[in-house]
Amino acid sequence: MAENQEPRIGVFICHCGTNIAGSLDVNAVMEYARSLPNVVVADEYQYMCSTPGQNKIIDAEKDYDLTGVVVAACSPRLHEPTFRTATAEGGLNKFRFEMANIRDQNSWVHMHDWEGATEKAKDQVRIAVAKARLLEDLQPKSVPVEHAAMVVGAGVGGMQAALDLANAGIKTYLVEKDPTIGGRMSQLDKTFPTLDCSQCILTPKMVDAGRHPNIILETYTEVENVEGYIGNFDITLRKKARGTRDGAEMVAAGLEGSGCNGCGDCASVCPVIKPNPFEMGMAPRKAIYIYHPQVMPLQYTIDFDACVKCGLCKDICGTEKNAIDLEMTDSLEKVKVGCVILATGYDLIPIEDKTEWGYRRYENVITGLEFERLICASGPTGGHLIRPSDGETPMKVGFVLCAGSRDNTGGVGKPYCSRFCCMYSLKHAHQIMEKIPGAVPYLFYMDIRSFGKMYEEFYYRIQNEGAKFIRGRVAAIEEDPITKNLYVQTEDTLLGRPVNVECNLVVLAAAIQPKPDAERIRQMFGVSKSQDGWYLEAHPKLNPCGTTTAGIFLAGVCQGPKDIPDTVAQAEGAASAASIPIHQGEVQLEPYFAQCVEDLCAGCGMCVPQCPYGALSLIQKDDRQVMTVTEAKCKGCGTCGGFCPGGAIRMQHFTSPQICAQIDSFLLNPLGGEE
Ligand SMILES: Cc1cc2nc3c(=O)[nH]c(=O)nc-3n(C[C@H](O)[C@H](O)[C@H](O)COP(=O)(O)OP(=O)(O)OC[C@H]3O[C@@H](n4cnc5c(N)ncnc54)[C@H](O)[C@@H]3O)c2cc1C
Ligand code: SF4
Ligand code: SF4
């Protein structure tokens, strides 16, 4: 566009089928657009996003020598990239495009107000044109991308993502805060609906992740600090003091000895006994321990909070292995990666806080995870389902579904569906009927949600096997203090009468919630959260693995409740999305950067701490200080631009004249502001 050339704007109004055209007068809006200053062409079309719709933009740019394009249609989140591409194909800089959202912000909310919606659409178009008159050519900035990735959390989701990245040739740090990878899935006995043994399908993945040449396992490690931006994240890891070293660590530390080989001699002499959290506290472990035989890596860990430093373990380990270091302290490690996938999983809610069900008050009320360990052949009872109070085999087992899920009463309950409890309770019902001849499961449910592939069929199967289903929310559980049997009280809403079922054991399908440190991780990586605390995806339908922070992706339950198949599918999606910029080697950033107008900058530095992304700093220029912007860190939020007392900060694509023009035009001054 030649300097001083009068702006020439093209306006295109979309019908979006009847989404827009069914609620407002598209032709009237088009006619109005034609009357606006600098509008040289206005057109309408059924679907502007279609190829013929986009061709209208491309052709008009050439036919009318346009300097700016306005499309009045749906939301920029949905189709801004589409129309920007068309704008560029027509020969204009793609940032000379402006969108008016006359669907989501107009026809959808004023569906029954034809006149009002039409007038509002005219306002929206006028405002967009006012800005389009002042749009400038902008150039995206390219930044190089480190050929490495990090996955935080090594449950089935994190492992899958790491394996996919590694198989795509990308060096991947798999960071796990526990001493072993595997996550919750390694605690499960069988998995619905196929009933395959959980460890049998998980262990090969653990071994693959442990042995893959492109995966660097960082177990017993937490993220300490994150700096940087897509392509260049500088991450500090805290490697917690494990108290032992493996062979490689021995070599790296220049120590004599072969290191820990997982023989377990140390644990056999350790005098300290603690509950094993992997077994949900139902089995003991020593102060030096592994969680279970299939751990990866097979290396012992010292719980320094419990250790009495008697040195017995060190003595028996001997000088040949020399693996134990009772004075070991945490160490920090810095790594640089291009992209990060968060896969930090979930916890059960503290179900004891829902006191009406008596968890921790009554010995024979347990959670679903405790059931998994009790029924598992490698669990604390060798797979014999016994009730905790007396070790007897329970013949009547109650399953309380939605224990804290879909619970809008506030407090510890959660309004959302935890999505796998119905299915695992059906699985548990099957397992007791299979293992204990004559045993009867009672499922107390509100709805059975068996939404997945072959899940409904699994539900029928369990019904046919003889499980009893009682539809109603359990109001209370009371214990007979002599027999320790439990009375489960509810209203059978199908029969319309109260029921009180005597059970020998009750299993609570407790709701799930984000991990306790999910908030810390979220803030470090600059990821948003949804109302219920799970990490927020960039778009629930169109970008379910991405986040609003470029280069950070999500996999598994940390983004919201989901079962193993959905976790693995999302992990594969996240790995694929993360590998794209890494393989491209560089990314283009939207050029909505803050710019310092140095002549106006007083160098006071007041803006620097205001930036939530650490994008600003002061530099020495000639004999004075001025502010400078690290463009790759700037998210264009505008905080600094609004703050600078001297008006020295200019926000590209949202300049003061552009915004003033929009405000003026809203106040019915169609000419808008001037530069
Ligand atoms: C009782 C029960 C039975 C179930 N049965 C089935 C079933 O039969 N079939 C099925 O499909 N699903 C089942 N599920 C669901 C299944 O557990 C989840 O779908 C699956 O575990 C989700 O995997 P994930 O990787 O997202 O999370 P997780 O398994 O929770 O893994 C997350 C990992 O991240 C680590 N981590 C957390 N925070 C950090 C941090 N800050 N830094 C580093 N690491 C961190 C954790 O230690 C953990 O290893 C069941 C769930 C329960 C409760
Ligand atoms: S940009 Fe504004 S707030 Fe920042 S140093 Fe310069 S004058 Fe101060
Ligand atoms: S626009 Fe926002 S992100 Fe960019 S420098 Fe200013 S405050 Fe920081």
Side-chain angles (χ1 to χ4, degrees):
M1 175 182 169
E3 221 177 306
N4 300 328
Q5 184 188 338
E6 265 294 295
R8 297 174 63 79
I9 311 295
V11 179
F12 303 87
I13 325 279
C14 184
H15 293 230
C16 196
T18 53
N19 266 312
I20 292 171
S23 303
L24 57 86
D25 189 340
V26 166
N27 281 323
V29 179
M30 180 183 68
E31 288 304 330
Y32 175 75
R34 285 182 179 150
S35 73
L36 293 171
N38 299 113
V39 172
V40 292
V41 56
D43 205 348
E44 44 72 40
Y45 194 64
Q46 276 278 321
Y47 295 103
M48 276 306 297
C49 56
S50 65
T51 306
Q54 291 182 59
N55 284 342
K56 277 182 181 285
I57 299 174
I58 297 166
D59 294 343
E61 277 183 44
K62 292 173 186 148
D63 295 347
Y64 294 90
D65 192 20
L66 299 184
T67 62
V69 171
V70 169
V71 174
C74 52
S75 81
R77 281 183 94 189
L78 207 60
H79 271 313
E80 191 174 58
T82 316
F83 297 127
R84 276 193 176 161
T85 307
T87 304
E89 269 189 53
L92 278 178
N93 179 283
K94 67 176 179 176
F95 295 98
R96 287 184 170 268
F97 164 77
E98 184 66 20
M99 197 157 183
N101 183 344
I102 61 167
R103 190 186 72 176
D104 309 21
Q105 293 175 356
N106 190 342
S107 63
W108 277 356
V109 279
H110 305 296
M111 224 171 240
H112 306 295
D113 179 8
W114 181 267
E115 295 298 326
T118 306
E119 287 311 304
K120 180 172 170 181
K122 290 178 184 173
D123 285 348
Q124 290 178 289
V125 168
R126 187 177 70 249
I127 292 166
V129 168
K131 183 173 177 193
R133 293 173 62 243
L134 302 177
L135 289 175
E136 309 157 319
D137 288 359
L138 297 176
Q139 300 309 328
K141 188 180 171 65
S142 283
V143 289
V145 179
E146 186 76 19
H147 200 82
M150 178 176 288
V151 179
V152 184
V156 64
M159 287 194 300
Q160 182 67 46
L163 281 166
D164 285 358
L165 287 165
N167 285 333
I170 296 164
K171 178 175 165 185
T172 304
Y173 297 89
L174 181 53
V175 178
E176 168 57 54
K177 70 175 176 45
D178 281 348
T180 173
I181 59 175
R184 290 277 176 221
M185 190 176 165
S186 54
Q187 289 181 288
L188 308 180
D189 179 36
K190 293 185 172 170
T191 57
F192 60 73
T194 42
L195 296 174
D196 32 14
C197 153
S198 186
Q199 276 288 9
C200 305
I201 52 175
L202 189 71
T203 311
K205 245 186 220 314
M206 291 167 65
V207 172
D208 285 353
R211 292 214 180 119
H212 202 295
N214 285 340
I215 294 183
I216 297 132
L217 270 196
E218 301 275 14
T219 49
Y220 213 44
T221 299
E222 291 188 27
V223 178
E224 178 88 359
N225 188 40
V226 181
E227 280 175 15
Y229 44 86
I230 181 170
N232 299 276
F233 291 108
D234 291 303
I235 302 183
T236 309
L237 298 175
R238 174 172 290 275
K239 296 173 82 75
K240 295 183 279 185
R242 198 190 264 270
T244 66
R245 291 190 179 89
D246 67 8
E249 288 168 321
M250 296 298 284
V251 174
L255 294 169
E256 296 285 318
S258 58
C260 179
N261 62 3
C263 66
D265 288 349
C266 50
S268 65
V269 296
C270 175
V272 179
I273 296 178
K274 299 287 287 179
N276 185 348
F278 179 84
E279 300 292 0
M280 305 305 292
M282 296 182 296
R285 77 166 196 211
K286 298 296 184 67
I288 187 162
Y289 67 95
I290 52 169
Y291 278 149
H292 58 86
Q294 290 103 325
V295 290
M296 173 62 69
L298 177 54
Q299 184 181 348
Y300 275 73
T301 303
I302 297 178
D303 173 356
F304 278 113
D305 289 335
C307 172
V308 291
K309 298 212 173 168
C310 62
L312 291 174
C313 57
K314 193 171 168 56
D315 291 346
I316 199 160
C317 183
T319 49
E320 217 169 279
K321 284 175 276 174
N322 190 26
I324 295 173
D325 179 353
L326 291 170
E327 304 309 321
M328 192 183 268
T329 50
D330 292 1
S331 60
L332 299 179
E333 182 189 357
K334 284 194 181 237
V335 296
K336 196 179 191 69
V337 295
C339 290
V340 176
I341 296 176
L342 301 180
T344 50
Y346 68 98
D347 266 344
L348 301 187
I349 61 168
I351 195 67
E352 59 274 24
D353 292 352
K354 299 284 287 181
T355 50
E356 62 269 37
W357 298 319
Y359 181 68
R360 292 216 193 282
R361 201 153 32 95
Y362 305 143
E363 284 173 271
N364 293 330
V365 177
I366 63 173
T367 65
L369 272 177
E370 286 164 350
F371 183 94
E372 294 282 344
R373 296 316 302 151
L374 282 177
I375 202 87
C376 184
S378 63
T381 56
H384 298 290
L385 183 69
I386 53 171
R387 49 186 224 153
S389 67
D390 51 15
E392 290 293 316
T393 302
M395 296 307 290
K396 290 170 81 178
V397 183
F399 292 93
V400 179
L401 278 64
C402 290
S405 302
R406 306 168 68 210
D407 176 349
N408 287 309
T409 55
V412 72
K414 303 290 173 191
Y416 48 81
C417 166
S418 294
R419 293 199 59 193
F420 43 66
C421 337
C422 282
M423 289 305 296
Y424 77 59
S425 299
L426 291 170
K427 171 183 77 175
H428 292 168
H430 166 83
Q431 283 172 298
I432 61 165
M433 290 187 288
E434 183 184 61
K435 282 212 167 179
I436 310 170
V440 185
Y442 290 85
L443 288 100
F444 301 93
Y445 72 104
M446 298 206 289
D447 293 314
I448 294 289
R449 299 190 164 181
S450 51
F451 55 90
K453 193 171 180 179
M454 299 303 290
Y455 288 12
E456 191 69 5
E457 291 83 340
F458 188 68
Y459 175 24
Y460 290 136
R461 174 178 167 185
I462 309 310
Q463 280 175 318
N464 290 334
E465 284 174 351
K468 307 260 182 262
F469 290 81
I470 298 168
R471 185 169 176 274
R473 186 191 273 281
V474 172
I477 297 175
E478 272 172 23
E479 185 196 59
D480 177 332
I482 313 287
T483 63
K484 300 283 181 189
N485 282 346
L486 300 153
Y487 291 90
V488 183
Q489 297 158 26
T490 184
E491 185 196 350
D492 187 326
T493 53
L494 294 180
L495 297 178
R497 61 176 166 79
V499 288
N500 193 352
V501 182
E502 185 181 9
C503 295
N504 311 122
L505 180 73
V506 168
V507 184
L508 303 178
I512 61 166
Q513 65 182 17
K515 286 275 188 195
D517 69 343
E519 183 60 22
R520 185 182 71 92
I521 296 288
R522 186 185 78 72
Q523 287 190 4
M524 265 194 295
F525 285 99
V527 170
S528 306
K529 64 176 173 185
S530 41
Q531 225 175 9
D532 41 28
W534 303 106
Y535 299 155
L536 187 66
E537 65 285 344
H539 190 287
K541 297 177 187 84
L542 302 176
N543 195 354
C545 304
T547 68
T548 45
T549 299
I552 311 283
F553 302 88
L554 305 176
V557 180
C558 66
Q559 180 258 339
K562 56 182 72 70
D563 57 16
I564 295 163
D566 285 359
T567 294
V568 171
Q570 196 190 22
E572 298 201 302
S576 154
S579 67
I580 293 170
I582 293 177
H583 279 314
Q584 283 174 337
E586 61 169 30
V587 280
Q588 291 206 328
L589 305 175
E590 299 264 274
Y592 301 158
F593 318 124
Q595 282 178 329
C596 179
V597 183
E598 290 179 3
D599 286 349
L600 298 177
C601 176
C604 65
M606 288 167 72
C607 55
V608 174
Q610 303 301 322
C611 175
Y613 306 100
L616 309 181
S617 53
L618 289 180
I619 53 161
Q620 193 70 27
K621 204 113 193 236
D622 304 327
D623 56 348
R624 66 191 188 107
Q625 286 204 314
V626 289
M627 185 275 269
T628 187
V629 182
T630 306
E631 291 182 343
K633 284 188 180 181
C634 175
K635 301 266 188 287
C637 69
T639 307
C640 60
F643 180 81
C644 173
I649 300 175
R650 184 174 189 272
M651 303 306 305
Q652 297 209 108
H653 205 62
F654 297 95
T655 62
S656 298
Q658 287 167 356
I659 289 173
C660 289
Q662 290 184 287
I663 296 169
D664 281 356
S665 104
F666 176 64
L667 299 173
L668 283 179
N669 172 9
L671 281 175
E674 296 300 329
E675 278 279 4

